[in-house]
């Protein structure tokens, strides 16, 4: 029967064992074959019952040298039928592949039914140029995004069979400076936040450091399974290289070198067995054993470890080979030591001054600088002034920050340190695990690891908590070798604001599939929201996928469940607000309901946390309900959507609300919100209801269409100086309701047309990025016809004719 690491780690009912198998030099498959044939000969009887031999893991080009790709290893193993029920865990690293190639590789593993992966930044290639377009955190985020889309697009009845990648990541507790060690722990937490489902430690020979990792995990409620990596030191060449700091990230002290050299194979096996027993006793979920090339030795290590059992402490001296004077997070009594508080360096101070004067959007210097650059035409990204500026920027930033012209500058996020020029791998989220015991870069011993520098600057600013939580998205490769300052000034880099505010619409109980799964989740009982289930995974995926697709808010609407009892939807809203806070990657919730009790409960729940959260959105406030919601601004920061509907009878043509009436409603809401409750214009959104194009047909001559009135209302609001800074939003999906096809195309054309009238927000599926791309001209013509349907016979006939033609062609396709 096929074993699965994922299942074993989720069950946690046995101590898992993984064997790391590597090909020999020059693409030699024989060592892997030998190991697996040994296993086939002896079978599971050779493994003590305390251990569950689950899987082999296969490194990808270890040491930065070309070798057999894991996918190729898997092919050969399958061809020779060598797996014998074991799982297969490929290492997948970012050193040789760009993002597209990694995604293709992932797809290949999915086709081969591989689910567990060890995600690594990877060693710096020795002869080739390293890619590192992503690093481990970036790749984990890509996998999380793919996983969430697989879930979100699965049929409701198939949720328990859905394929998911099960990515793991590395962590090293074997660093001996405060900066390197704390950065490793921070990075571990970032990897978990980015989707790592298990961790494997770096190799190391210091039980106190191993213990430190488990203590840190407990202290910070980290319950992701940790697998201890046990590397049997036996090969003298490898040993000497590790000692000479020639194998990055590995530390072998002088004493350990001498000790290992004095031992025979039994001595090496003993130490490996003692480490296995140590990890088991410390609470690891399992071990990954490397440096062993034959199954007999592998089985011997496990048998000896079983004999040692919990008595590993007898061998502490044989497992303690630290750096003299090295730094530990806990003292011998297990108490956490105080972290250092270095002084800010001159370069750091200069950066902060320049940044606040010229690049802080709240500072007038920014606006003057931007206006001058715009006047000189540098926004176009070409021309004399652009090139002159870029030339000076290059020189200045190279001299001061070792800038490498990535064009998408993260100096502010990295506390004035460049992670391209100052890092041998150009990591988006530094550091990797390669630093030496004393904090130098393992790939260039002449420099300190960039992670050390960032840590020191963050500590000097008293901002370690920011460093701990901040995850930098991957840089935009299209900006390489362009002027990063101008990219920032003109919002072309990662700080770019979307031209259209996307409010993710997917968590809505009236969507049949989502509503069904929400209902099933609620029916699972009182612990449903805390217990793993396919339904819960689906909801998490729906939330995360919208965040990853660029939603600015994630809307939750539960109203469909409250037809009989509104207390149900109050409780459910609270729960879903918590979900968005937990799984939404920092994107604020949009609490969407026609019931004010639900809005108020959701708003209070959003702020019921010690975490710092962004202001949520409340949808919606009407002229006749605003006195219930707007006063809450005194207690909670939030933005809101003012819905332009009224309880009064419409007095426009044909018994409809005229543009003037809708504008009047906006004025009422604005005066109350800005005048009485101190809302800023940018915190106010107006929504003039979207009517489906398919039924937007005036029943009487002289009556304008709904689309016309919605768009004209937006234009009127946006062209009135009184409303400067407010947003206009639309529930976009409604426009395509009941159309026979091309719905996304219609929505894109609708958004592009609405943007021309001043609309800058919408309740949408963020994945579609409706504000971008070029809408089809015939669909633009169709929407424009509805936008102009002012009641005249000519405009109405034109819109109707275009709609008939559209329906005919859409039905054919
Ligand atoms: S500078 Fe640090 S993060 Fe960059 S490659 Fe060297 S060890 Fe890794």
């Amino acid at each position: 029967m096929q074993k699965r690491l994922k299942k074993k780690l989720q069950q946690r009912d046995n101590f898992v064992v993984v064997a790391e198998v590597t090909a020999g030099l020059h693409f030699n498959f024989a060592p892997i074959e030998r190991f697996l044939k040994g296993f086939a000969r002896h079978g599971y009887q050779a493994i003590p019952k305390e251990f569950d031999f689950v899987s082999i893991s296969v490194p990808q080009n270890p040491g930065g040298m070309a070798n057999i790709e894991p996918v190729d290893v898997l092919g050969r193993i399958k061809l020779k039928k060598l797996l014998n029920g074991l799982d297969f865990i490929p290492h997948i690293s970012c050193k040789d592949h760009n993002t597209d190639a990694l995604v293709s590789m992932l797809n290949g593993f999915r086709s081969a039914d591989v689910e567990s992966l060890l995600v690594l930044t990877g060693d710096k290639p020795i002869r080739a140029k390293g890619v590192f377009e992503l690093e481990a955190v970036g790749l984990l985020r890509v996998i999380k995004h793919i996983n969430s889309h697989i879930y979100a697009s699965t049929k409701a009845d198939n949720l328990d069979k859905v394929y998911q990648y099960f990515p793991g990541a590395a962590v090293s507790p074997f660093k001996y400076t405060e900066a390197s060690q704390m950065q490793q722990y921070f990075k571990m937490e970032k990897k978990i936040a980015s989707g790592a489902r298990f961790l494997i430690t770096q190799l190391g020979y210091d039980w106190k450091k191993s213990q430190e990792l488990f203590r840190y995990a407990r202290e910070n409620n980290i319950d992701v399974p940790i697998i201890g990596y046990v590397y049997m030191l036996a090969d003298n060449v490898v040993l000497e290289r590790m000692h000479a700091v020639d194998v990055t990230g590995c530390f072998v002290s002088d004493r350990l070198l001498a000790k290992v050299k004095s031992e025979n194979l039994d001595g090496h096996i003993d130490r490996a067995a003692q480490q296995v027993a140590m990890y088991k006793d410390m609470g690891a979920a399992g071990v990954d054993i490397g440096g062993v090339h034959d199954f007999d030795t592998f089985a011997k290590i496990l048998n000896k470890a079983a004999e040692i059992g919990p008595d590993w402490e007898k061998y502490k001296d044989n497992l303690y080979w630290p750096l003299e004077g090295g730094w530990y997070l806990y003292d011998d009594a297990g108490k956490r030591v105080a972290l250092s508080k270095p002084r800010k360096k001159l370069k750091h101070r200069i950066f902060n001054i320049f940044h606040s004067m010229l690049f802080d959007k709240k500072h007038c210097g920014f606006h003057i600088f931007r206006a001058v650059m715009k006047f000189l035409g540098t926004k176009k990204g070409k021309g004399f002034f652009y090139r002159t500026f870029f030339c000076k920027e290059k020189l200045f930033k190279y001299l001061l920050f070792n800038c490498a012209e990535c064009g998408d500058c993260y100096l502010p996020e990295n506390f004035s340190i460049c992670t391209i020029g100052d890092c041998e791998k150009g990591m988006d989220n530094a550091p990797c695990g390669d630093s030496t015991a004393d904090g130098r870069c393992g790939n260039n011993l002449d420099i300190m690891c960039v992670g050390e520098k960032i840590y020191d600057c963050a500590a000097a600013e008293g901002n370690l908590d920011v460093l701990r939580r901040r995850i930098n998205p991957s840089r935009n490769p299209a900006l390489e070798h362009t002027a990063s300052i101008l990219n920032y000034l003109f919002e072309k880099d990662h700080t770019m604001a979307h031209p259209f505010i996307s409010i993710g619409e997917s968590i809505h109980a009236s969507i049949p599939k989502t509503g069904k799964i929400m209902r099933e989740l609620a029916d699972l009982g009182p612990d449903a929201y805390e217990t793993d289930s396919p339904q819960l995974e689906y909801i998490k995926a729906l939330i995360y996928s919208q965040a990853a697709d660029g939603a600015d808010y994630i809307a939750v609407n539960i109203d469909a469940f409250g037809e009989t009892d509104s207390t149900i939807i109050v409780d459910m809203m609270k729960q879903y607000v918590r979900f968005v806070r937990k799984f939404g990657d920092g994107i604020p919730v949009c609490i969407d309901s026609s019931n004010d009790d639900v809005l108020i409960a959701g708003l209070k729940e959003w702020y019921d946390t010690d975490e710092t959260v962004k202001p949520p959105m409340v949808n919606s406030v009407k002229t006749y309900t605003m006195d219930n919601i707007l006063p809450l601004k005194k207690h909670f920061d939030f933005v809101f959507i003012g819905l332009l509907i009224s309880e009064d009878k419409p007095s426009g043509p044909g018994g409809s609300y005229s543009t003037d009436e809708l504008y009047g409603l906006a004025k009422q809401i604005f005066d109350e919100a800005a005048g009485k409750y101190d809302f800023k214009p940018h915190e106010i959104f107006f929504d003039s209801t979207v009517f489906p194009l398919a039924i937007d047909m005036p029943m009487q001559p002289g009556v304008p269409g709904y689309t016309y009135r919605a768009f004209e209302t937006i234009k009127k609001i946006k062209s009135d100086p009184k409303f400067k800074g407010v947003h206009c939003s639309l529930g976009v999906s409604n426009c395509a309701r009941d159309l026979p096809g091309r719905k996304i195309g219609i929505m894109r054309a609708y958004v592009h047309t609405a943007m021309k009238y001043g609309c800058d927000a919408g309740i949408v599926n963020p994945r579609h990025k409706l504000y971008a791309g070029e809408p089809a001209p015939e669909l633009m013509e169709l929407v424009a016809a509805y936008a102009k349907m002012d009641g005249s016979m000519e405009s109405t006939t034109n819109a109707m004719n275009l709609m008939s033609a559209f329906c005919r062609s859409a039905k054919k396709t």
Side-chain angles (χ1 to χ4, degrees):
M1 201 176 101
Q2 164 86 62
K3 294 194 178 190
R4 290 291 198 181
L5 181 73
K6 177 180 175 180
K7 197 165 168 207
K8 298 285 178 183
L9 289 180
Q10 284 171 341
Q11 288 171 339
R12 297 247 190 142
D13 55 0
N14 211 343
F15 189 76
V16 303
V17 177
V18 177
E20 184 183 86
V21 293
T22 46
L25 282 178
H26 311 302
F27 305 88
N28 182 4
F29 181 68
I32 297 176
E33 185 166 355
R34 195 165 54 240
F35 183 94
L36 288 172
K37 281 189 169 163
F39 171 57
R41 256 194 322 278
H42 297 284
Y44 288 107
Q45 308 84 276
I47 311 280
K49 64 175 180 358
E50 296 90 328
F51 300 113
D52 191 354
F53 182 30
V54 172
S55 177
I56 56 167
S57 69
V58 177
Q60 191 231 340
N61 292 356
M65 302 264 287
N67 209 318
I68 317 176
E69 276 289 324
V71 72
D72 189 13
V73 170
L74 178 62
R76 296 191 202 191
I77 287 175
K78 281 189 170 172
L79 201 65
K80 296 184 178 211
K81 297 191 173 39
L82 293 171
L83 217 43
N84 284 312
L86 293 173
D87 200 0
F88 181 87
I89 309 172
H91 294 197
I92 173 164
S93 82
C94 309
K95 59 181 181 282
D96 307 322
H97 301 90
N98 65 18
T99 308
D100 282 353
L102 287 166
V103 170
S104 301
M105 188 192 288
L106 284 167
N107 199 47
F109 283 128
R110 184 180 172 187
S111 308
D113 198 27
V114 169
E115 53 180 19
S116 296
L117 316 152
L118 181 60
V119 173
L120 302 164
T121 297
D123 299 322
K124 188 176 178 218
I126 290 176
R127 284 188 284 266
K129 184 170 188 274
V131 179
F132 302 111
E133 184 181 328
L134 296 175
E135 40 67 60
V137 167
L139 181 52
L140 283 163
R141 283 168 66 86
V142 167
I143 295 171
K144 191 173 175 185
H145 196 173
I146 296 172
N147 268 347
S148 64
H149 273 296
I150 296 173
Y151 237 115
S153 57
T154 299
K155 290 202 174 113
D157 296 334
N158 285 343
L159 291 184
D160 52 346
K161 298 183 210 87
V162 65
Y163 173 88
Q164 292 279 276
Y165 295 103
F166 188 68
V171 55
S172 177
F174 302 107
K175 301 293 177 194
Y176 288 99
T177 66
E178 175 190 323
S180 280
Q181 190 57 74
M182 292 311 294
Q183 283 277 42
Q184 285 301 315
Y185 292 143
F186 293 171
K187 185 101 184 240
M188 167 178 76
E189 291 171 287
K190 292 176 198 188
K191 287 173 179 175
I192 294 169
S194 302
R197 305 287 297 274
F198 64 97
L199 297 162
I200 298 187
T201 67
Q202 171 61 287
L203 68 84
Y205 306 91
D206 179 348
W207 68 266
K208 286 190 183 178
K209 278 286 180 185
S210 302
Q211 189 181 59
E212 181 183 284
L213 170 64
F214 289 96
R215 195 169 264 159
Y216 185 88
R218 273 195 302 277
E219 201 176 71
N220 292 285
N221 300 318
I222 293 169
D223 63 354
V224 171
I226 300 175
I227 294 176
Y229 182 48
V230 173
Y231 185 87
M232 188 178 79
L233 276 180
D235 183 321
N236 266 339
V237 177
V238 175
L239 181 71
E240 293 276 9
R241 283 188 58 208
M242 284 186 187
H243 175 254
V245 202
D246 197 21
V247 180
T248 53
C250 305
F251 173 68
V252 167
S253 66
D254 299 345
R255 284 174 53 239
L256 180 59
L257 175 76
K259 171 75 175 151
V260 176
K261 279 188 155 180
S262 70
E263 291 170 348
N264 58 17
L265 180 62
D266 285 342
H268 308 326
I269 291 173
D270 284 348
R271 183 174 302 99
Q274 290 154 13
Q275 275 198 313
V276 172
M278 173 196 80
Y279 276 123
K280 190 166 190 290
D281 193 53
M282 280 182 177
V287 284
D288 178 11
I289 300 176
V292 177
H293 303 297
D294 65 283
F295 184 76
D296 286 350
T297 308
F298 177 76
K300 263 189 204 163
I301 291 172
L302 293 175
N303 279 286
K304 286 211 165 190
E307 280 168 30
I308 296 166
D311 289 338
W312 70 272
E313 295 202 18
K314 281 202 248 167
Y315 307 101
K316 270 179 170 176
D317 289 350
N318 198 29
L319 300 176
Y320 183 57
W321 308 97
L323 177 77
E324 292 301 323
W327 185 87
Y328 291 81
L329 180 56
Y330 303 95
D331 63 19
D332 285 344
K335 203 165 154 268
R336 209 174 157 141
V337 301
L339 299 180
S340 59
K341 179 91 172 65
R343 287 167 65 85
K344 265 191 216 154
K345 297 209 168 87
L346 181 64
K347 190 179 90 174
H348 188 187
R349 287 176 196 277
I350 293 173
F351 173 83
N352 283 354
I353 292 168
F354 263 97
H355 193 265
S356 67
M357 275 169 46
L358 293 177
F359 303 114
D360 184 346
K361 292 180 183 170
K362 289 189 225 107
H363 200 288
C364 66
F366 168 84
H367 298 282
I368 295 168
F369 185 29
R370 188 173 188 272
V372 172
M373 287 298 120
K374 196 171 173 190
F375 175 76
L376 293 175
T378 57
K379 191 177 177 182
K380 293 195 286 279
K382 56 186 181 186
F384 174 76
F385 289 112
Y386 173 83
R387 289 159 72 94
T388 308
F389 182 86
F390 187 25
C391 197
K392 291 200 161 111
E393 178 194 318
K394 275 201 255 193
L395 185 67
F396 174 75
K397 284 180 79 175
Y398 176 66
L399 287 175
L400 242 84
F401 304 108
N402 205 8
C403 166
E405 291 173 41
C406 72
D408 194 1
C409 184
Y410 276 86
L411 280 174
E413 288 83 352
N414 291 323
F415 304 92
S416 77
I417 304 296
C418 174
T419 60
I420 302 283
D422 273 358
C423 171
E424 289 290 307
K425 294 181 184 170
M427 307 267 297
D428 290 323
N429 289 285
C432 66
D434 289 355
S435 64
T436 62
D438 56 356
R440 285 173 295 151
C441 170
N443 300 294
N444 178 354
L445 298 176
D446 294 335
I447 60 171
M448 288 306 286
C449 169
V450 74
E452 291 260 333
K453 297 180 196 172
I454 294 171
Y455 181 89
D456 286 346
C457 290
E461 279 189 9
N463 266 331
L464 282 181
D465 217 42
V466 174
L467 173 63
R468 182 179 177 189
R469 297 191 194 286
R470 179 177 282 149
I471 293 176
N472 296 325
S474 320
R475 289 175 166 86
N476 178 355
L479 295 177
E480 211 176 338
H481 305 305
T482 60
S484 65
I485 291 179
L486 296 174
N487 292 338
Y488 169 77
L489 286 183
F490 300 120
E491 296 188 332
K492 295 178 185 172
D493 68 1
H494 65 280
T495 62
M496 171 172 57
H498 299 152
F500 187 83
I501 297 169
S502 300
I503 304 158
E505 65 184 0
S506 305
I507 312 284
H508 200 302
S510 67
I511 299 172
K513 178 180 163 191
T514 310
K516 178 176 185 288
I517 294 167
M518 287 169 121
R519 167 78 64 204
E520 286 173 7
L521 180 60
D523 289 346
L524 289 176
D527 296 334
Y529 296 119
E530 273 83 44
T531 311
D532 284 345
S533 67
Q535 289 82 359
L536 182 55
E537 283 305 313
Y538 176 83
I539 297 296
K540 285 190 210 171
L542 220 48
I543 293 171
Y544 182 76
S545 61
Q546 293 183 90
D549 284 334
D552 298 285
Y553 295 90
I554 296 171
V556 174
N557 187 310
I558 321 274
D559 284 0
F561 292 135
E563 280 153 13
T564 48
D565 181 359
S566 69
T567 57
I568 295 175
I569 50 173
V570 166
D571 289 344
M572 280 183 89
M573 178 56 84
K574 287 195 210 164
Q575 185 56 56
Y576 277 82
V577 163
R578 283 198 285 274
F579 281 159
V580 174
R581 201 172 58 216
K582 194 161 172 196
F583 307 119
D585 212 23
I587 304 299
V589 69
C590 165
I591 307 151
D592 182 6
S593 178
S594 55
N595 181 325
D596 285 352
D597 292 341
V598 174
L599 295 179
I600 294 165
L603 185 56
K604 287 182 178 167
E605 185 60 43
W606 180 252
Y607 281 109
D608 188 16
T609 173
D610 296 334
E611 293 165 35
T612 309
V613 287
K614 291 185 187 159
M617 174 180 271
V618 169
N619 183 21
S620 57
V621 168
K622 299 126 199 154
T623 50
Y624 51 93
T625 65
M626 60 190 176
D627 289 338
N628 299 337
I629 306 294
L630 299 184
L632 295 169
K633 181 73 168 169
K634 258 189 267 159
H635 309 288
F636 306 103
D637 197 9
F638 66 97
V639 306
F640 72 89
I641 296 183
L643 195 58
L644 302 183
I645 58 171
S646 167
E647 287 184 316
D648 298 337
K649 246 180 137 239
S651 62
S656 63
Y657 290 108
S658 66
T659 302
D660 285 343
E661 275 175 303
L662 296 172
Y663 169 80
L665 295 172
K667 222 157 154 273
Q668 271 185 56
I669 295 173
F670 182 85
D671 288 343
E672 187 87 348
K676 204 161 158 193
Y677 298 110
D678 215 18
F679 279 87
K680 304 280 172 297
H682 70 269
E683 295 171 331
I684 303 172
F685 292 63
F686 292 114
D687 185 330
S688 40
T689 315
V690 172
F691 205 72
L693 294 176
I695 51 171
D696 189 3
M697 279 175 283
M699 290 301 163
Q700 298 167 27
V703 178
Y706 284 92
T707 308
Y708 170 86
R709 276 176 282 147
F711 284 10
E712 288 297 322
T713 303
I714 292 171
K715 190 157 95 183
K716 198 165 168 77
I717 291 171
K718 281 305 195 85
S719 51
D720 184 342
K722 174 189 175 76
F723 288 108
K724 189 166 186 272
V726 301
H727 302 285
C728 284
S729 167
L730 292 170
V732 175
S733 308
N734 222 17
C735 77
R737 215 170 74 195
D738 299 331
L739 289 176
R742 300 185 72 184
K743 290 191 179 185
I744 296 171
I746 287 284
M747 288 190 268
R748 190 177 306 285
Y750 195 91
V751 165
H752 277 253
T753 309
M755 285 169 78
K756 289 185 187 165
Y757 284 77
C759 175
D760 60 354
I763 302 176
V764 292
N765 179 340
R767 188 166 206 200
H768 295 149
K769 305 218 175 332
L770 297 174
Y771 57 84
E774 276 301 316
E778 68 279 13
L779 301 186
M780 281 299 279
E781 191 189 2
L782 175 67
V783 177
Y786 277 85
K788 290 188 188 120
M789 202 163 63
D790 57 3
S792 67
M793 185 58 81
E794 193 190 356
S795 65
T796 307
T797 309
N798 182 36
M800 295 306 120
N801 287 342
L802 286 169
M803 180 55 83
S804 305
F806 167 77
C807 290
R808 279 197 303 277
S809 74
K811 272 180 195 153
K812 275 188 215 151
T813 50

